[in-house]
Amino acid sequence: MERSKKVIVVMPAYNAEKTLERTLDDIPREWVDEIILVDDASRDGTVELARKLGLRVFVHEKNRGYGGNQKTCYTEALKLGGDIMIMVHPDHQYDPRVIPQLVAPLLNGECDAMFGSRMLGGRPLEGGMPRWKYLANIYLTAFENATFYMYLTEYHSGLRAYSRRYLETVNFMVDSDDFVFDSEIIAQGVIHGLRIREIPIETRYFPEASQVGFWRSSVYGLSILKTLVKFKLHMKGLVRYRMFS
Ligand SMILES: Nc1nc2c(ncn2[C@@H]2O[C@H](COP(=O)(O)OP(=O)(O)OP(=O)(O)O)[C@@H](O)[C@H]2O)c(=O)[nH]1
Ligand SMILES: [Mg+2]
């Protein structure tokens, strides 16, 4: 397909040395103009390897967390003139071979963000998703759908593509530096009437791909619920949050 838009893959990395190369091998390069990696003060050789592999690398001196990492990813990608930004976790959990399907609707201007969903017609347990993560995912998703009056099959995917319009419309810099960033940026998109669509994807679960255990996931779940409460209060005009203004 002839492309006039610049597609940039952004990789929020944290200790990704073991899985980075495998992830890169699966990226369909003809669909991508540039790949940038932001290292969140990894303690392994992620930065050296990424440079050796020819990626454009940005380094956080201190660990800022997953949301903080994405803030740098999108800021730098927008500076580089990206029209479509695809987040690919460098832990080889989400399969980037679906990039063509993810990007096409954005190139055609059919929507403002495209998410890969593990729940859309899938059997995530077969990919190794723990049962408790599966259940937490569907219950939280139900709350999110009920709050946003928008239907997605999941809100917690790590494979996402955003248009420049999306990232310039929402003020993602005021979002959390932690995992709940991924939910806040959706809530902001809902408030601004941005259109999100999904395609089915499969994921793999193995130790390097899944560092978030039960405790951190529970905190994450609670911060999602907190975001939903803030969203409602804001929509009802009871409290004004900078995140949503
Ligand atoms: N844990 C962690 N991850 C970070 C940080 N900065 C960036 N990341 C990225 O966040 C991604 C998500 O964390 P994971 O440990 O993979 O989460 P997960 O257990 O796979 O979550 P599920 O996909 O729901 O199973 C990682 O792949 C990293 O690329 C950080 O400071 N801490
Ligand atoms: Mg992972």
Side-chain angles (χ1 to χ4, degrees), residues 70-81:
Q70 281 189 67
K71 288 179 189 176
T72 308
C73 285
Y74 300 135
T75 304
E76 296 299 337
L78 289 169
K79 266 196 231 161
L80 288 167

Side-chain angles (χ1 to χ4, degrees), residues 137-239:
N137 198 331
I138 56 178
Y139 286 120
L140 284 168
T141 296
F143 277 116
E144 290 168 301
N145 281 325
T147 304
F148 296 144
Y149 290 109
M150 174 179 84
Y151 198 89
L152 293 180
T153 59
E154 80 156 312
Y155 286 80
H156 321 108
S157 169
L159 183 65
R160 304 174 172 208
Y162 295 106
S163 66
R164 167 173 283 270
R165 185 169 108 96
Y166 195 108
L167 295 174
E168 285 182 340
T169 303
V170 305
N171 185 6
F172 64 82
M173 288 306 284
V174 303
D175 290 349
S176 163
D177 278 346
D178 210 340
F179 288 106
V180 76
F181 176 94
D182 272 354
S183 302
E184 293 177 344
I185 197 170
I186 297 176
Q188 292 173 311
V190 174
I191 289 218
H192 288 99
L194 296 164
R195 296 157 302 166
I196 303 173
R197 280 179 36 190
E198 298 176 301
I199 54 161
I201 53 159
E202 280 169 21
T203 39
R204 303 169 267 258
Y205 282 78
F206 56 101
E208 287 86 24
S210 209
Q211 301 172 36
V212 179
F214 185 75
W215 175 245
R216 281 202 73 187
S217 295
S218 307
V219 174
Y220 172 52
L222 288 176
S223 21
I224 291 175
L225 296 176
K226 208 165 116 189
T227 306
L228 298 182
V229 172
K230 285 186 191 167
F231 177 90
K232 274 290 176 212
L233 292 172
H234 186 93
M235 292 303 273
K236 291 195 184 302
L238 297 170
V239 186

Side-chain angles (χ1 to χ4, degrees), residues 58-70:
F58 300 89
V59 182
H60 287 174
E61 291 301 326
K62 278 202 197 116
N63 182 269
R64 284 181 54 193
Y66 173 65
N69 194 325
Q70 281 189 67

